Amino acid sequence: MNIHRKAVELAGSGRDFALALILATEGSTPRKAGVKAIIDCDGVIFGTLGGGYVEIEVQRLAVEACKTVRPGVFDFNLDDVHATNDGPICGGTVRVLIDPTAAKDSAAYALASGAIELRKRGVLVTTASGADDTEVGVHWLAADAIGDYADFPGTGSVEACLACEAPALFLQAGVEVFVEPVIPNPLLLIAGGGDVSFFD
């Protein structure tokens, strides 16, 4: 599922929703940093954060966030205290941003979705500031525009994330900045008249 396109669709419909983004993980976890899901005001989820305890709690918190329209950052410990029949307990930790204001950033998500469709690279930069009253902003940077980015964590860090195709979380004085490379899926071309290239 193209989560970015779904965010744009829901924003256009006017339906309340929250976007959940895994900012960081440590140890064994079902999903890793950069994974997103969307939860609407009724708790319906699009995408997955790996199921189990984390996903159930994020759905609950997202529904509440849709009511209060207040983003927040939450930490989850996947230990046996939260063992349920809904999935394995891995023993790691997961940090998740829940943003019920994501509709305001639909232009950035639309650019990211469009870049994937056009097979172009870039990064989404998500900034969450303020512990008690979190504010979230999302910006799209095309690969050739990263040199113009002057904000924390700086051009070099953003370019490094894109070069190694790995997301990273940067922290500075109560501000969390998540840099997420947006990379089109590899394109496989099969040439020739052999069995591998034959489709019935």
Side-chain angles (χ1 to χ4, degrees):
M1 168 178 284
N2 187 328
I3 289 293
H4 302 140
R5 184 187 303 133
K6 190 66 180 179
V8 174
E9 288 175 4
L10 288 174
S13 74
R15 185 167 180 76
D16 291 336
F17 70 96
L19 187 142
L21 166 64
I22 297 181
L23 295 174
T25 64
E26 186 174 334
S28 180
T29 58
R31 303 297 299 269
K32 298 302 180 184
V35 171
K36 292 186 177 94
I38 290 174
I39 301 95
D40 74 8
C41 55
D42 294 323
V44 176
I45 189 167
F46 304 91
T48 180
L49 298 178
Y53 162 69
V54 171
E55 190 159 287
I56 291 169
E57 279 298 292
V58 168
Q59 282 179 275
R60 182 184 67 79
L61 290 166
V63 170
E64 287 300 312
C66 286
K67 297 174 183 175
T68 62
V69 199
R70 294 183 63 181
V73 177
F74 303 89
D75 293 303
F76 301 93
N77 294 313
L78 302 180
D79 53 33
D80 58 6
V81 172
H82 303 104
T84 69
N85 293 326
D86 295 312
I89 298 304
C90 306
T93 61
V94 182
R95 188 167 180 81
V96 181
L97 168 67
I98 299 176
D99 181 16
T101 68
K104 72 179 180 351
D105 296 309
S106 61
Y109 293 123
L111 289 170
S113 179
I116 291 173
E117 293 170 2
L118 294 172
R119 305 197 56 74
K120 294 185 177 180
R121 295 158 53 97
V123 294
L124 278 171
V125 179
T126 301
T127 302
S129 59
D132 297 325
D133 193 12
T134 305
E135 293 185 6
V136 179
V138 181
H139 302 281
W140 165 255
L141 296 171
D144 58 2
I146 293 175
D148 298 329
Y149 183 74
D151 294 337
F152 175 77
T155 300
S157 295
V158 175
E159 288 178 337
C161 287
L162 182 59
C164 65
E165 299 184 2
L169 179 64
F170 299 89
L171 308 174
Q172 182 185 67
V175 177
E176 301 187 44
V177 179
F178 187 77
V179 179
E180 173 194 358
V182 175
I183 310 296
N185 289 328
L187 181 63
L188 175 64
L189 298 177
I190 300 175
D195 293 340
V196 172
S197 59
F198 177 75
F199 293 93
D200 190 10

